Amino acid sequence: MTFNTIGIVGKRSLPKITETLQTLINLLKKLDRKVILSDETTAQLKNNDLPTATIEELAKQVDLVMVVGGDGSLLSTGRVAALCDTPILGINLGCLG
């Protein structure tokens, strides 16, 4: 399976989240992938020109959702993505799991 369109969801309050998100976006762009951000994630980035959507809409539009955060972010996004059969990939920046 090829993941051409990738959604990104990032938890707001984590340290270094902006740096991690920007690195991830730059890598995906370099790989010529279309990136859509959750509307909450967009608010964290400056000079962003990427499309945005609610998590519900994002899960319908993408081939993969990448979640940058902790257990709670992964679980809440996973519940939404499961309704659309959209795979998720977690990048753990949390402190619990």
Side-chain angles (χ1 to χ4, degrees), residues 7-54:
I8 299 177
V9 177
K11 183 172 180 181
R12 241 176 223 242
S13 61
L14 293 172
K16 296 189 179 184
I17 186 77
T18 303
E19 179 183 330
T20 302
L21 289 170
Q22 198 58 62
T23 299
L24 180 59
I25 291 166
N26 292 341
L27 174 65
L28 292 171
K29 283 183 171 182
K30 192 179 282 189
L31 295 171
D32 200 28
R33 299 299 186 255
K34 180 180 178 185
V35 177
I36 302 174
L37 301 176
S38 72
D39 47 9
E40 294 176 9
T41 304
T42 300
Q44 301 175 70
L45 300 172
K46 296 177 183 174
N47 302 321
N48 176 39
D49 60 350
L50 296 171
T52 64
T54 65

Side-chain angles (χ1 to χ4, degrees), residues 9 54-60 65 73-88:
V9 177
T54 65
I55 294 175
E56 291 80 8
E57 286 299 316
L58 184 128
K60 294 176 188 175
V65 178
S73 300
L74 184 62
L75 289 170
S76 63
T77 303
R79 286 184 195 101
V80 174
L83 297 173
C84 301
D85 286 331
T86 304
I88 62 172

Side-chain angles (χ1 to χ4, degrees), residues 64-68 74 87-91:
L64 173 72
V65 178
M66 299 181 84
V67 182
V68 181
L74 184 62
I88 62 172
L89 173 70
I91 300 172

